[in-house]
Amino acid sequence: MSASPSAIESVLIENRVFPPPEGLVKTARISGMAGYEALCAEADKDFEGFWARLARENLQWTRPFTKTLDESNAPFYQWFADGELNASANCLDRHMGTPVESKTAIIFEADDGAVTKVTYKELLARVAQFANALKAQGVKKGDRVLIYMPMTIEGVVAMQACARIGATHSVVFGGFSAKAVQERIIDAGAVAVITANYQLRGGKELPLKAIVDEGIAMGGCESIKSVLVYERTPTAWNRVDGRDKSFAEALAGQSTECVPVAVEAEHPLFILYTSGSTGKPKGVQHSTGGYLLWAKLTMDWTFDLRPDDVFWCTADIGWVTGHTYIAYGPLAAGGTQVMFEGIPTYPNAGRFWQMIERHKVSIFYTAPTAIRSLIKAADSDEKVHPKNWDLSSLRILGSVGEPINPEAWMWYYKNVGGERCPIVDTWWQTENGGHLITPLPGATPLVPGSCTLPLPGIAAAIVDETGKDVPNGSGGMLVIKRPWPSMIRTIWNDPERFKKSYFPEEMGGKIYLAGDGAVRDAKTAYFRVTGRIDDVLNVSGHRMGTMEIESALVAKSDLVAEAAVVGRPDDLTGEAICAFVVLKRARPTGEEAKQIAAELRNWVAKEIGPIAKPKDIRFGDNLPKTRSGKIMRRLLRSLAKGEAITQDTSTLENPAILDQLAQNN
Ligand code: WTA
């Protein structure tokens, strides 16, 4: 259950195949490989007609579109551009007057286990009322609103309310720092912040509002006119008069009806910041029409959502998975979903299994890193093994965020899915809006560790540096050769960076470069994604740029002269962050090194967030550089892994440094 050499070998020789359950093949929307191939053929034959049909069938348009895809300004593709719709109306209003109206939309389980449920009708009233409260604050179509909320129904209400009035939300994960909040407010030019006084996780009360205050106080946030505060706990919070209001104050007297604002299909529904290989996080901008189509469609295709399903996606709304598979997809599809405030290990590592039993969850979607940590917990304590709970309600399992190693896959399949439930290993990215390469539960034979085949209409391929296809069986770069409806539209405020990051000139400027390495199986043509090929790390499924962490380290300018950050494989978190640091004083050793390393970790937590804390920090008099001054990251990666250096070091200016950096603190 790790990325140990044996695990890597087993993925290379993986030959176990798990066909889809017969019953599911009969009932699934996409039934058998014949069903899948029929859709692929339809997309091949008439690409635009295919998407136009699906967009008409799956969304309600207040103004129908006449043009499906506009490629005239590629790579700034436009989809359904002359159509108009509202995302919130497509998630809520559309169900009124249907049986879904009185169905439970969200089953919320709080950190302490308390359960609250809302029906679609109730959720609509809450969203409409909150939308009116936003309007009363002066928020209008086209404005940006920063959301810094705990995992609560109110978080979804805030997102949906923005969508209802055509405001573009930018959700910031509750684990990010004040500095991250400040940077995002400035970049997005946000006019309002929606936050909570505190969040509750693992029995602890953690501040949110105070971090917003700290971020705004760092300066440059004059665009913020109001801060709305959800009082999650009775604990007092600091109020800035004239700017801050509690939810209760903002909602008082507001009607529970609010006509949704129709927006153009290309209107930015949200901006979500994510890490790239260079510079600061980039604001990935998504559209309304194409994005929502994808959210709805993949609920039907990948999860084969049925009216009586109970869907549970364990992601946080601060990540794209929580956007598409909590805030929009399940609602657009009229499903019932579980939403969880807490953490998988509180009060013990049986929490997920207990919740599946309690709420009769039928579709469960989580990350490999969570599975790996729960395997470890179950191995050391029988009492939290999934066998202690009745998981018979499950019918489909999902995985997302990082490669799942075959050992973890098999454990998940056997111990959670009872060898009955297909696992959909969904490959996609913040920039993609939703699943692109994934098995279909009633069609695709599964191979552990493989995300199998692209969804119909998705032109996924593996190419070399020039954009030429590589043969199956050889590794290369994962690209998507044709646009798809839910693709990133641009990087907010930085169209040049958008072009450069995703549509390299060397490949013709129109092919989407994912930044992942992948290989297709020689026999089945199944995809296996091996990980990032750029300087982006994936730690517990969280994306982080090595440059971002380096910048944070050198920002401690009284102490740090230079820093280089690389990833190394980690059994539990997939990758771990390893930082090589040169101080402005003599290289510390022993206790002093430990102390300074702790200080630097806390510093990074303050600059970015606790998830960016380096696991290893190593101090050197210098870093391994070529004579022209370039840091040799290749060598640092080997050192981080604890490997002996076998590479050629003759171009190195200071080979002696390697021994020093091989030592861990
Ligand atoms: C990785 C998360 C292998 C990949 C939805 C990608 C995966 C990055 C998988 C995007 C998967 C995501 N198998 N790798 N099933 N899913 N990844 O933007 O490296 O947070 O580029 O989106 O996660 O991370 P992001």
mmCIF file of all heavy atoms in Angstrom, residues 274 319-321 365 399-404 425-431 437 451 514-516 529-532 538 541-543, ligand 1:
data_model
loop_
_atom_site.group_PDB
_atom_site.id
_atom_site.type_symbol
_atom_site.label_atom_id
_atom_site.label_comp_id
_atom_site.label_asym_id
_atom_site.label_seq_id
_atom_site.Cartn_x
_atom_site.Cartn_y
_atom_site.Cartn_z
ATOM 1 N N THR A 274 -5.252 28.069 -8.117
ATOM 2 C CA THR A 274 -4.532 26.805 -7.977
ATOM 3 C C THR A 274 -3.070 27.033 -8.304
ATOM 4 O O THR A 274 -2.712 28.037 -8.928
ATOM 5 C CB THR A 274 -5.146 25.704 -8.878
ATOM 6 O OG1 THR A 274 -4.569 24.443 -8.514
ATOM 7 C CG2 THR A 274 -4.874 25.946 -10.343
ATOM 8 N N TRP A 319 -11.810 23.214 -2.756
ATOM 9 C CA TRP A 319 -11.116 22.617 -3.900
ATOM 10 C C TRP A 319 -12.102 22.420 -5.031
ATOM 11 O O TRP A 319 -13.317 22.410 -4.823
ATOM 12 C CB TRP A 319 -10.493 21.269 -3.526
ATOM 13 C CG TRP A 319 -9.640 21.307 -2.305
ATOM 14 C CD1 TRP A 319 -9.897 20.686 -1.116
ATOM 15 C CD2 TRP A 319 -8.407 22.017 -2.128
ATOM 16 N NE1 TRP A 319 -8.890 20.954 -0.217
ATOM 17 C CE2 TRP A 319 -7.968 21.772 -0.807
ATOM 18 C CE3 TRP A 319 -7.634 22.837 -2.948
ATOM 19 C CZ2 TRP A 319 -6.790 22.310 -0.289
ATOM 20 C CZ3 TRP A 319 -6.465 23.369 -2.435
ATOM 21 C CH2 TRP A 319 -6.053 23.109 -1.132
ATOM 22 N N VAL A 320 -11.583 22.172 -6.217
ATOM 23 C CA VAL A 320 -12.475 22.063 -7.369
ATOM 24 C C VAL A 320 -13.418 20.869 -7.227
ATOM 25 O O VAL A 320 -14.574 20.915 -7.654
ATOM 26 C CB VAL A 320 -11.672 22.002 -8.691
ATOM 27 C CG1 VAL A 320 -11.011 20.643 -8.894
ATOM 28 C CG2 VAL A 320 -12.566 22.348 -9.876
ATOM 29 N N THR A 321 -12.945 19.789 -6.601
ATOM 30 C CA THR A 321 -13.808 18.617 -6.435
ATOM 31 C C THR A 321 -15.056 18.987 -5.622
ATOM 32 O O THR A 321 -16.161 18.540 -5.918
ATOM 33 C CB THR A 321 -13.034 17.468 -5.766
ATOM 34 O OG1 THR A 321 -11.823 17.260 -6.511
ATOM 35 C CG2 THR A 321 -13.821 16.184 -5.760
ATOM 36 N N TYR A 365 -17.169 8.979 -2.790
ATOM 37 C CA TYR A 365 -16.118 9.557 -3.643
ATOM 38 C C TYR A 365 -15.072 10.205 -2.746
ATOM 39 O O TYR A 365 -15.374 11.165 -2.042
ATOM 40 C CB TYR A 365 -16.784 10.593 -4.546
ATOM 41 C CG TYR A 365 -15.961 11.170 -5.675
ATOM 42 C CD1 TYR A 365 -15.025 10.414 -6.371
ATOM 43 C CD2 TYR A 365 -16.170 12.487 -6.088
ATOM 44 C CE1 TYR A 365 -14.317 10.959 -7.425
ATOM 45 C CE2 TYR A 365 -15.471 13.037 -7.154
ATOM 46 C CZ TYR A 365 -14.543 12.267 -7.815
ATOM 47 O OH TYR A 365 -13.844 12.798 -8.871
ATOM 48 N N SER A 399 -12.495 7.617 -6.783
ATOM 49 C CA SER A 399 -11.196 8.074 -6.301
ATOM 50 C C SER A 399 -10.806 9.302 -7.113
ATOM 51 O O SER A 399 -11.080 9.374 -8.308
ATOM 52 C CB SER A 399 -10.176 6.947 -6.485
ATOM 53 O OG SER A 399 -8.868 7.407 -6.206
ATOM 54 N N VAL A 400 -10.159 10.250 -6.488
ATOM 55 C CA VAL A 400 -9.805 11.488 -7.185
ATOM 56 C C VAL A 400 -8.618 12.193 -6.542
ATOM 57 O O VAL A 400 -8.413 12.081 -5.348
ATOM 58 C CB VAL A 400 -10.998 12.484 -7.187
ATOM 59 C CG1 VAL A 400 -11.443 12.859 -5.789
ATOM 60 C CG2 VAL A 400 -10.673 13.754 -7.983
ATOM 61 N N GLY A 401 -7.854 12.891 -7.340
ATOM 62 C CA GLY A 401 -6.874 13.835 -6.822
ATOM 63 C C GLY A 401 -5.430 13.434 -7.007
ATOM 64 O O GLY A 401 -4.550 14.272 -7.021
ATOM 65 N N GLU A 402 -5.169 12.159 -7.139
ATOM 66 C CA GLU A 402 -3.795 11.682 -7.290
ATOM 67 C C GLU A 402 -3.867 10.238 -7.782
ATOM 68 O O GLU A 402 -4.924 9.611 -7.709
ATOM 69 C CB GLU A 402 -3.032 11.772 -5.959
ATOM 70 C CG GLU A 402 -3.874 11.329 -4.826
ATOM 71 C CD GLU A 402 -3.178 11.264 -3.488
ATOM 72 O OE1 GLU A 402 -1.959 11.076 -3.429
ATOM 73 O OE2 GLU A 402 -3.889 11.330 -2.499
ATOM 74 N N PRO A 403 -2.747 9.735 -8.263
ATOM 75 C CA PRO A 403 -2.756 8.338 -8.690
ATOM 76 C C PRO A 403 -3.078 7.444 -7.491
ATOM 77 O O PRO A 403 -2.616 7.701 -6.388
ATOM 78 C CB PRO A 403 -1.320 8.103 -9.168
ATOM 79 C CG PRO A 403 -0.754 9.464 -9.436
ATOM 80 C CD PRO A 403 -1.444 10.392 -8.476
ATOM 81 N N ILE A 404 -3.898 6.428 -7.714
ATOM 82 C CA ILE A 404 -4.162 5.467 -6.634
ATOM 83 C C ILE A 404 -3.325 4.229 -6.915
ATOM 84 O O ILE A 404 -3.388 3.649 -8.004
ATOM 85 C CB ILE A 404 -5.664 5.141 -6.467
ATOM 86 C CG1 ILE A 404 -5.873 4.138 -5.334
ATOM 87 C CG2 ILE A 404 -6.333 4.688 -7.760
ATOM 88 C CD1 ILE A 404 -7.317 4.061 -4.834
ATOM 89 N N ASP A 425 -11.919 5.620 -10.996
ATOM 90 C CA ASP A 425 -10.685 6.375 -10.718
ATOM 91 C C ASP A 425 -10.681 7.550 -11.693
ATOM 92 O O ASP A 425 -10.324 7.413 -12.853
ATOM 93 C CB ASP A 425 -9.489 5.445 -10.932
ATOM 94 C CG ASP A 425 -8.147 6.152 -10.783
ATOM 95 O OD1 ASP A 425 -8.127 7.354 -10.469
ATOM 96 O OD2 ASP A 425 -7.108 5.489 -10.990
ATOM 97 N N THR A 426 -11.127 8.706 -11.197
ATOM 98 C CA THR A 426 -11.412 9.845 -12.073
ATOM 99 C C THR A 426 -10.203 10.756 -12.200
ATOM 100 O O THR A 426 -9.760 11.346 -11.217
ATOM 101 C CB THR A 426 -12.590 10.659 -11.513
ATOM 102 O OG1 THR A 426 -12.231 11.163 -10.219
ATOM 103 C CG2 THR A 426 -13.845 9.795 -11.378
ATOM 104 N N TRP A 427 -9.661 10.870 -13.399
ATOM 105 C CA TRP A 427 -8.568 11.812 -13.618
ATOM 106 C C TRP A 427 -9.127 13.137 -14.140
ATOM 107 O O TRP A 427 -9.881 13.154 -15.108
ATOM 108 C CB TRP A 427 -7.546 11.284 -14.634
ATOM 109 C CG TRP A 427 -6.492 12.343 -14.887
ATOM 110 C CD1 TRP A 427 -5.369 12.557 -14.144
ATOM 111 C CD2 TRP A 427 -6.506 13.357 -15.901
ATOM 112 N NE1 TRP A 427 -4.685 13.653 -14.626
ATOM 113 C CE2 TRP A 427 -5.367 14.169 -15.702
ATOM 114 C CE3 TRP A 427 -7.390 13.683 -16.931
ATOM 115 C CZ2 TRP A 427 -5.058 15.262 -16.510
ATOM 116 C CZ3 TRP A 427 -7.100 14.777 -17.737
ATOM 117 C CH2 TRP A 427 -5.941 15.556 -17.522
ATOM 118 N N TRP A 428 -8.733 14.218 -13.502
ATOM 119 C CA TRP A 428 -9.079 15.555 -13.972
ATOM 120 C C TRP A 428 -8.332 16.583 -13.145
ATOM 121 O O TRP A 428 -7.575 16.233 -12.244
ATOM 122 C CB TRP A 428 -10.591 15.800 -13.941
ATOM 123 C CG TRP A 428 -11.265 15.684 -12.600
ATOM 124 C CD1 TRP A 428 -11.381 14.558 -11.826
ATOM 125 C CD2 TRP A 428 -11.929 16.731 -11.885
ATOM 126 N NE1 TRP A 428 -12.080 14.843 -10.690
ATOM 127 C CE2 TRP A 428 -12.437 16.159 -10.688
ATOM 128 C CE3 TRP A 428 -12.163 18.087 -12.132
ATOM 129 C CZ2 TRP A 428 -13.156 16.902 -9.749
ATOM 130 C CZ3 TRP A 428 -12.889 18.814 -11.195
ATOM 131 C CH2 TRP A 428 -13.364 18.227 -10.020
ATOM 132 N N GLN A 429 -8.540 17.852 -13.446
ATOM 133 C CA GLN A 429 -7.793 18.940 -12.802
ATOM 134 C C GLN A 429 -8.711 20.142 -12.584
ATOM 135 O O GLN A 429 -9.747 20.261 -13.246
ATOM 136 C CB GLN A 429 -6.660 19.392 -13.717
ATOM 137 C CG GLN A 429 -5.821 18.285 -14.289
ATOM 138 C CD GLN A 429 -4.860 18.808 -15.331
ATOM 139 O OE1 GLN A 429 -5.259 19.215 -16.423
ATOM 140 N NE2 GLN A 429 -3.584 18.796 -15.003
ATOM 141 N N THR A 430 -8.266 21.049 -11.730
ATOM 142 C CA THR A 430 -9.010 22.292 -11.513
ATOM 143 C C THR A 430 -9.374 22.922 -12.855
ATOM 144 O O THR A 430 -10.487 23.401 -13.052
ATOM 145 C CB THR A 430 -8.130 23.282 -10.706
ATOM 146 O OG1 THR A 430 -7.729 22.632 -9.492
ATOM 147 C CG2 THR A 430 -8.882 24.550 -10.365
ATOM 148 N N GLU A 431 -8.444 22.908 -13.773
ATOM 149 C CA GLU A 431 -8.636 23.550 -15.073
ATOM 150 C C GLU A 431 -9.668 22.828 -15.946
ATOM 151 O O GLU A 431 -10.153 23.403 -16.914
ATOM 152 C CB GLU A 431 -7.304 23.564 -15.848
ATOM 153 C CG GLU A 431 -6.230 24.432 -15.231
ATOM 154 C CD GLU A 431 -5.387 23.698 -14.189
ATOM 155 O OE1 GLU A 431 -5.835 22.628 -13.699
ATOM 156 O OE2 GLU A 431 -4.299 24.189 -13.858
ATOM 157 N N ILE A 437 -10.947 11.685 -17.798
ATOM 158 C CA ILE A 437 -10.612 10.282 -18.065
ATOM 159 C C ILE A 437 -11.074 9.475 -16.855
ATOM 160 O O ILE A 437 -10.627 9.727 -15.732
ATOM 161 C CB ILE A 437 -9.093 10.089 -18.284
ATOM 162 C CG1 ILE A 437 -8.567 11.078 -19.330
ATOM 163 C CG2 ILE A 437 -8.798 8.653 -18.691
ATOM 164 C CD1 ILE A 437 -7.084 10.935 -19.629
ATOM 165 N N CYS A 451 -6.893 5.014 -14.767
ATOM 166 C CA CYS A 451 -8.134 5.787 -14.924
ATOM 167 C C CYS A 451 -8.822 5.410 -16.228
ATOM 168 O O CYS A 451 -9.815 6.018 -16.617
ATOM 169 C CB CYS A 451 -7.852 7.281 -14.803
ATOM 170 S SG CYS A 451 -6.579 7.879 -15.925
ATOM 171 N N ALA A 514 -1.771 19.117 -20.091
ATOM 172 C CA ALA A 514 -2.258 18.929 -18.722
ATOM 173 C C ALA A 514 -1.184 19.144 -17.660
ATOM 174 O O ALA A 514 -1.488 19.495 -16.531
ATOM 175 C CB ALA A 514 -2.846 17.531 -18.582
ATOM 176 N N GLY A 515 0.088 18.894 -18.026
ATOM 177 C CA GLY A 515 1.140 18.983 -17.005
ATOM 178 C C GLY A 515 1.360 17.661 -16.288
ATOM 179 O O GLY A 515 2.106 17.597 -15.324
ATOM 180 N N ASP A 516 0.687 16.606 -16.748
ATOM 181 C CA ASP A 516 0.869 15.277 -16.167
ATOM 182 C C ASP A 516 1.590 14.362 -17.156
ATOM 183 O O ASP A 516 1.424 14.503 -18.364
ATOM 184 C CB ASP A 516 -0.487 14.624 -15.870
ATOM 185 C CG ASP A 516 -1.061 15.069 -14.538
ATOM 186 O OD1 ASP A 516 -0.269 15.432 -13.647
ATOM 187 O OD2 ASP A 516 -2.287 15.059 -14.390
ATOM 188 N N VAL A 529 -2.004 7.577 -15.346
ATOM 189 C CA VAL A 529 -1.363 8.867 -15.104
ATOM 190 C C VAL A 529 -0.305 8.666 -14.036
ATOM 191 O O VAL A 529 -0.590 8.117 -12.973
ATOM 192 C CB VAL A 529 -2.404 9.921 -14.663
ATOM 193 C CG1 VAL A 529 -1.740 11.223 -14.267
ATOM 194 C CG2 VAL A 529 -3.415 10.145 -15.787
ATOM 195 N N THR A 530 0.917 9.102 -14.341
ATOM 196 C CA THR A 530 2.006 8.803 -13.413
ATOM 197 C C THR A 530 2.327 9.970 -12.478
ATOM 198 O O THR A 530 2.997 9.791 -11.494
ATOM 199 C CB THR A 530 3.271 8.414 -14.202
ATOM 200 O OG1 THR A 530 3.436 9.344 -15.278
ATOM 201 C CG2 THR A 530 3.150 7.023 -14.771
ATOM 202 N N GLY A 531 1.827 11.156 -12.779
ATOM 203 C CA GLY A 531 2.080 12.296 -11.897
ATOM 204 C C GLY A 531 2.532 13.505 -12.691
ATOM 205 O O GLY A 531 2.685 13.446 -13.909
ATOM 206 N N ARG A 532 2.795 14.586 -11.971
ATOM 207 C CA ARG A 532 3.118 15.856 -12.632
ATOM 208 C C ARG A 532 4.489 15.773 -13.303
ATOM 209 O O ARG A 532 5.406 15.140 -12.805
ATOM 210 C CB ARG A 532 3.131 16.997 -11.613
ATOM 211 C CG ARG A 532 1.842 17.183 -10.861
ATOM 212 C CD ARG A 532 0.717 17.742 -11.665
ATOM 213 N NE ARG A 532 1.032 18.979 -12.347
ATOM 214 C CZ ARG A 532 0.104 19.779 -12.896
ATOM 215 N NH1 ARG A 532 -1.191 19.455 -12.832
ATOM 216 N NH2 ARG A 532 0.448 20.868 -13.511
ATOM 217 N N ASN A 538 2.044 17.205 -5.532
ATOM 218 C CA ASN A 538 0.726 16.754 -5.119
ATOM 219 C C ASN A 538 0.893 16.070 -3.758
ATOM 220 O O ASN A 538 1.330 14.945 -3.666
ATOM 221 C CB ASN A 538 0.173 15.789 -6.176
ATOM 222 C CG ASN A 538 -1.296 15.505 -5.957
ATOM 223 O OD1 ASN A 538 -1.779 15.514 -4.833
ATOM 224 N ND2 ASN A 538 -2.010 15.250 -7.040
ATOM 225 N N GLY A 541 -3.081 14.955 -2.222
ATOM 226 C CA GLY A 541 -4.086 15.434 -3.167
ATOM 227 C C GLY A 541 -4.173 16.947 -3.255
ATOM 228 O O GLY A 541 -4.981 17.482 -3.994
ATOM 229 N N HIS A 542 -3.339 17.668 -2.501
ATOM 230 C CA HIS A 542 -3.330 19.133 -2.586
ATOM 231 C C HIS A 542 -2.224 19.569 -3.525
ATOM 232 O O HIS A 542 -1.078 19.139 -3.402
ATOM 233 C CB HIS A 542 -3.096 19.778 -1.220
ATOM 234 C CG HIS A 542 -4.118 19.400 -0.201
ATOM 235 N ND1 HIS A 542 -5.436 19.202 -0.507
ATOM 236 C CD2 HIS A 542 -4.008 19.176 1.128
ATOM 237 C CE1 HIS A 542 -6.102 18.878 0.582
ATOM 238 N NE2 HIS A 542 -5.255 18.841 1.595
ATOM 239 N N ARG A 543 -2.588 20.477 -4.422
ATOM 240 C CA ARG A 543 -1.623 20.937 -5.410
ATOM 241 C C ARG A 543 -0.813 22.095 -4.890
ATOM 242 O O ARG A 543 -1.363 23.049 -4.364
ATOM 243 C CB ARG A 543 -2.426 21.437 -6.607
ATOM 244 C CG ARG A 543 -2.178 20.686 -7.835
ATOM 245 C CD ARG A 543 -3.159 21.132 -8.850
ATOM 246 N NE ARG A 543 -2.550 22.109 -9.732
ATOM 247 C CZ ARG A 543 -3.087 22.440 -10.903
ATOM 248 N NH1 ARG A 543 -4.217 21.899 -11.281
ATOM 249 N NH2 ARG A 543 -2.502 23.312 -11.661
HETATM 250 C C1 WTA B 1 -3.596 14.678 -10.159
HETATM 251 C C2 WTA B 1 -8.083 17.634 -8.653
HETATM 252 C C3 WTA B 1 -3.865 10.380 -11.149
HETATM 253 C C4 WTA B 1 -2.930 15.028 -11.480
HETATM 254 C C5 WTA B 1 -9.346 17.103 -9.324
HETATM 255 C C6 WTA B 1 -3.564 16.360 -11.835
HETATM 256 C C7 WTA B 1 -4.679 12.466 -10.626
HETATM 257 C C8 WTA B 1 -3.755 17.000 -10.487
HETATM 258 C C9 WTA B 1 -6.005 11.962 -10.610
HETATM 259 C C10 WTA B 1 -4.879 17.994 -10.475
HETATM 260 C C11 WTA B 1 -6.192 10.557 -10.872
HETATM 261 C C12 WTA B 1 -6.044 14.084 -10.183
HETATM 262 N N1 WTA B 1 -5.097 9.823 -11.132
HETATM 263 N N2 WTA B 1 -3.636 11.673 -10.887
HETATM 264 N N3 WTA B 1 -7.395 9.980 -10.838
HETATM 265 N N4 WTA B 1 -6.821 13.003 -10.341
HETATM 266 N N5 WTA B 1 -4.748 13.780 -10.341
HETATM 267 O O1 WTA B 1 -6.188 20.640 -9.843
HETATM 268 O O2 WTA B 1 -1.552 15.176 -11.259
HETATM 269 O O3 WTA B 1 -6.304 19.762 -7.470
HETATM 270 O O4 WTA B 1 -2.772 17.159 -12.679
HETATM 271 O O5 WTA B 1 -7.614 18.732 -9.343
HETATM 272 O O6 WTA B 1 -4.028 15.912 -9.604
HETATM 273 O O7 WTA B 1 -5.118 18.471 -9.194
HETATM 274 P P1 WTA B 1 -6.299 19.493 -8.920
#
